[in-house]
Amino acid sequence: MRKDGKITVFLLDDLEIARRGVRELLSAEDGIEVVGESGTAADALVRIPATRPDVAVLDVRLPDGSGVQVCREIRSRNENIKCLMLTSFADDEALFDAIMAGASGYALKAIRGSELLTAVRDVAAGRSLLDPAAVARVRERLRLRGGSNSRSDDRLDDRLDDKPSDLTEQERRILDLIGEGLTDRAIGERLHLAERTIKNCVSGLLCKLGREQRSEAAAYGGRMQAERPHP
């Protein structure tokens, strides 16, 4: 946020008319300033770090890539830049990818103008707009991928109803950060640990959780954060 208190925003959408509509909506607010825009992922990866916005509003589907990829790359360079994903389609796969990439919010383009303004302000303030119910759907979809092993997955889910008591404090912190979508590198920087150390910790954490994939730990960590009471 600038010294004058304005929230700075960068827009990424391959449709110029869509960018213009969002830009006019945001620019009409005294407390928000659009500092840049792009129509491609490649251009955004150059311009977003240069403009250093508080919030990057990113279209999920782009002609040369994905807004999720842009989010992941930008967040790995600068965690102070918050990302709000916009899409035309309700897609749990894209939602999960956005969570893993470190996005703070995910909304359909059918969102009302007033809701988008609120979303930008909330994301800029550090609040997550990821719907716990949507995160739960992603987690359920992961569970169902077990196919014929669904009974085994059910037993594993029973184990995950409560966070394992044998997790160390460091593992609990790492699980929370995985749930926020941070990469190993970003987690290492947050905890002042080497990336290799984080990778080893994540491997041990997956074993304790009874999971094989980091994505499953991320969904679980996200659920635990969503269920945790906030002051």
Side-chain angles (χ1 to χ4, degrees), residues 101-173:
S104 297
Y106 187 94
L108 293 176
K109 287 186 176 180
I111 189 174
R112 294 181 178 178
S114 59
E115 294 173 337
L116 178 58
L117 290 171
T118 298
V120 168
R121 292 192 178 97
D122 285 346
V123 168
R127 290 185 282 273
S128 174
L129 299 183
L130 296 171
D131 182 4
V135 175
R137 289 201 309 273
V138 173
R139 179 174 177 272
E140 178 66 10
R141 183 172 179 177
L142 285 171
R143 187 185 70 81
L144 292 176
R145 285 177 180 173
S148 60
N149 295 323
S150 58
R151 181 173 299 178
S152 174
D153 281 349
D154 286 339
R155 289 197 297 268
L156 287 174
D157 280 345
D158 289 340
R159 289 174 55 191
L160 290 177
D161 283 341
D162 294 304
K163 189 179 292 186
S165 59
D166 60 342
L167 291 186
T168 66
E169 182 61 31
Q170 178 170 282
E171 286 172 333
R172 292 173 187 273
R173 294 174 67 189

Side-chain angles (χ1 to χ4, degrees), residues 19-134:
R19 295 199 309 273
R20 180 181 300 177
V22 175
R23 182 178 67 242
E24 291 178 354
L25 172 69
L26 298 179
S27 298
E29 294 295 303
D30 292 336
I32 299 177
E33 179 182 353
V34 176
V35 295
E37 59 183 80
S38 293
T40 65
D43 186 49
L45 286 172
V46 174
R47 302 193 62 195
I48 292 178
T51 54
R52 300 176 64 184
D54 297 309
V55 179
V57 179
L58 310 174
D59 188 9
V60 171
R61 291 177 172 82
L62 298 165
D64 64 333
S66 164
V68 172
Q69 296 170 343
V70 173
C71 174
R72 181 180 296 109
E73 180 64 26
I74 293 303
R75 294 277 298 165
S76 69
R77 298 184 199 176
N78 187 345
E79 289 186 11
N80 291 324
I81 299 176
K82 307 296 192 301
C83 295
L84 173 61
M85 313 304 300
L86 286 182
T87 181
S88 301
F89 307 98
D91 183 345
D92 281 351
E93 195 69 37
L95 168 61
F96 182 74
D97 289 343
I99 293 173
M100 289 294 291
S104 297
Y106 187 94
L108 293 176
K109 287 186 176 180
I111 189 174
R112 294 181 178 178
S114 59
E115 294 173 337
L116 178 58
L117 290 171
T118 298
V120 168
R121 292 192 178 97
D122 285 346
V123 168
R127 290 185 282 273
S128 174
L129 299 183
L130 296 171
D131 182 4

